[in-house]
Amino acid sequence: MKLMKGLLGTALGVAMIGIGAAQAADVSWMGYSYAEEAAKPSVDKIIAGFTAKTGKTVEPIASAFGDLQKNLLLRVRSKTAPDVVQISERWLPALSSLPGLVDYNTVFGADTLAKTYAPEALAMGQVDGKQLALPLMSGSIGMVANNAVLTQAGITDVPKTVDEFKADLEAIRDKVPNSVPYAMATKNNSDILVDFMTWEYVFGAHIIDPSGKVVVDSDASKKALGFLVDLMKNRLIAPEIGRPDARRLVGQSAAAFYLDAPQSRTFLRSFSGKGKDFDVNIKPMQVPSLKAGDTPVSIQWAHLIIAFAQSTPPTKDDANIQFVAWLGDDAVETQFPVEQSALPGTLSARANPIVANDAYLTAWAQNNTHPLRNEVGIWGNGGELTDILAEEVQAALLGQKSADDAITSMGSRMKDAMVKAGHAQ
């Protein structure tokens, strides 16, 4: 179902020419995709399509992923907030209290939104009964294998359990010279968080419960970190690897496994230098389970869209709400997510043959069926918590602390941070 239906029928059919440079744009859109070389042309297509459809102009504001929250808060404080913002799903709880955020239920209606968007994607934008964000694209963070490397190591099937995974890593280490069998993130704190959290879930551990209580100091957490320390000792993972490094290693067939969002395909095509010809080597798979039969683990991931009200109350006629509606139209949802190798947020786009017949996206969805929330990034002090976790994980991986001591220290430091933030322990 298209949100644009009925919203744009009275809009101008010709883009403004010559006037746009002299007047402020109708909509300002801050996002991190516009700061990425691979995604910028796709964003330009979205803006051009909206202007051609409505005659309204959009000012894109580029902000690197790691700086966007800070830049947005600075703009809000200076009362120069952008009209529309692209955010990561993990930031929404921390941003939900910003003044002026639009509750899309009050504009489009909850029933209409439920018929338009995939339920698990729509749910990522909900806070306290309000629909404060809508999904631009969605998916999960899961595991990707390079089939060429597996073949070189004599591996015919992807591993299903942790024991099979370790055995395969050893085979790759021994048979593929100068390789990093598993390109786990061992630098960049936000990258370490996602990788460690994934293995926490695999081993049945958790970091912070929904009430804000720190629960990371457990036997399961110590086993999870101990497993990763063992991988480092046996040269199955390597120090000083961040997500960009992992993408490059896998794209150049110097690593067999790594964790990433579905955008992995776009990055691997680029790093391989082979474009779509490299697709034959890209294999989405389930994160290995602790034992056969366990529910495979993945982490929630989405690009969400929030908006700041242009009128009180916001209406469908507001330029920024029209732009948000355009972002949910099939013209965008069958273009931008697919170009970025991700799942569209809308049901109609997912049913479109462009998406439904994409073997990679289908495989991703089949292998990552129940993504779990990010237990750290959702808190207002998520940056501090992430730094604590990464520091302790690195200390254990580098042999500066035992896995048990690192987990105990992580728990203690996180509890102090959460108490300071107002969450009783």
Side-chain angles (χ1 to χ4, degrees):
M1 183 173 183
K2 298 182 181 180
L3 287 177
M4 288 298 289
K5 185 176 181 181
L7 300 186
L8 304 175
T10 60
L12 293 175
V14 180
M16 287 184 284
I17 300 173
I19 302 175
Q23 295 182 344
D26 297 294
V27 182
S28 58
W29 180 23
M30 175 183 277
Y32 41 85
S33 287
Y34 199 68
E36 298 170 354
E37 184 178 352
K40 185 177 181 294
S42 294
V43 176
D44 286 333
K45 285 184 192 176
I46 292 173
I47 293 172
F50 178 70
T51 299
K53 183 98 176 180
T54 68
K56 291 181 168 59
T57 56
V58 178
E59 175 196 2
I61 304 169
S63 179
F65 184 88
D67 296 329
L68 192 140
Q69 289 187 85
K70 175 186 67 178
N71 291 338
L72 175 58
L73 292 175
L74 288 173
R75 281 177 166 268
V76 170
R77 288 171 188 153
S78 64
K79 300 188 184 305
T80 58
D83 298 310
V84 180
V85 188
Q86 174 192 23
I87 68 168
S88 168
E89 90 295 329
R90 75 191 73 163
W91 303 340
L92 182 59
L95 299 177
S96 63
S97 61
L98 291 178
L101 278 188
V102 173
D103 177 0
Y104 294 116
N105 284 338
T106 67
V107 180
F108 299 118
D111 289 344
T112 296
L113 293 176
K115 294 174 182 176
T116 303
Y117 291 95
E120 84 286 350
L122 190 64
M124 294 188 209
Q126 296 166 354
V127 177
D128 296 332
K130 296 180 179 180
Q131 191 72 49
L132 297 182
L134 293 175
L136 176 60
M137 59 186 186
S138 65
S140 56
I141 295 175
M143 186 160 281
V144 180
N146 181 321
N147 204 49
V149 180
L150 300 186
T151 300
Q152 188 176 351
I155 299 167
T156 56
D157 297 311
V158 295
K160 295 290 175 54
T161 66
V162 167
D163 288 342
E164 291 174 0
F165 182 60
K166 185 178 179 184
D168 285 351
L169 296 181
E170 291 171 345
I172 295 161
R173 176 196 62 195
D174 297 340
K175 296 179 181 179
V176 183
N178 302 314
S179 67
V180 178
Y182 166 33
M184 176 184 164
T186 52
K187 75 172 183 182
N188 298 340
N189 290 355
S190 60
D191 294 342
I192 292 173
L193 165 66
V194 170
D195 286 40
F196 176 68
M197 184 162 48
T198 298
W199 291 108
E200 278 277 275
Y201 293 160
V202 168
F203 278 78
H206 290 274
I207 301 171
I208 302 174
D209 74 13
S211 71
K213 182 178 180 181
V214 176
V215 294
V216 72
D217 192 356
S218 66
D219 289 342
S221 290
K222 293 172 181 176
K223 288 177 181 177
L225 185 53
F227 168 71
L228 299 177
V229 168
D230 184 64
L231 296 187
M232 181 69 82
K233 288 180 179 177
N234 286 285
R235 296 181 293 110
L236 305 177
I237 62 176
E240 293 300 308
I241 292 178
R243 190 81 63 233
D245 307 303
R247 290 165 176 161
R248 186 182 68 255
L249 288 168
V250 175
Q252 296 176 354
S253 295
F257 304 99
Y258 86 121
L259 292 168
D260 204 354
Q263 286 178 291
S264 172
R265 180 173 66 179
T266 299
F267 291 114
L268 298 183
R269 284 174 174 175
S270 176
F271 281 118
S272 71
K274 298 179 180 179
K276 292 183 179 180
D277 290 341
F278 192 71
D279 287 2
V280 67
N281 296 318
I282 306 172
K283 192 175 183 66
M285 58 174 280
Q286 294 176 348
V287 175
S289 300
L290 189 59
K291 61 182 184 298
D294 286 354
T295 301
V297 166
S298 61
I299 307 293
Q300 288 181 345
W301 174 88
H303 291 196
L304 302 180
I305 298 297
I306 60 174
F308 291 89
Q310 287 185 324
S311 63
T312 306
T315 74
K316 294 178 182 180
D317 294 326
D318 295 342
N320 68 334
I321 297 302
Q322 290 189 36
F323 184 64
V324 169
W326 173 245
L327 294 177
D329 188 87
D330 273 3
V332 172
E333 283 287 282
T334 58
Q335 173 240 320
F336 185 74
V338 175
E339 290 176 350
Q340 302 307 307
S341 296
L343 290 170
T346 63
L347 293 167
S348 59
R350 289 189 181 189
N352 189 291
I354 294 174
V355 177
N357 296 339
D358 188 311
Y360 172 84
L361 294 178
T362 299
W364 194 283
Q366 290 173 342
N367 282 293
N368 300 285
T369 53
H370 297 88
L372 302 172
R373 71 188 186 115
N374 184 318
E375 293 182 344
V376 174
I378 63 171
W379 300 100
N381 60 340
E384 180 183 5
L385 297 168
T386 296
D387 290 344
I388 291 170
L389 180 146
E391 288 166 7
E392 297 296 344
V393 168
Q394 282 185 313
L397 293 178
L398 297 176
Q400 298 166 348
K401 291 182 179 181
S402 69
D404 287 7
D405 287 347
I407 290 295
T408 297
S409 178
M410 185 188 301
S412 176
R413 294 174 65 191
M414 281 189 167
K415 285 181 179 179
D416 289 343
M418 290 300 278
V419 168
K420 186 173 64 176
H423 303 281
Q425 297 299 302

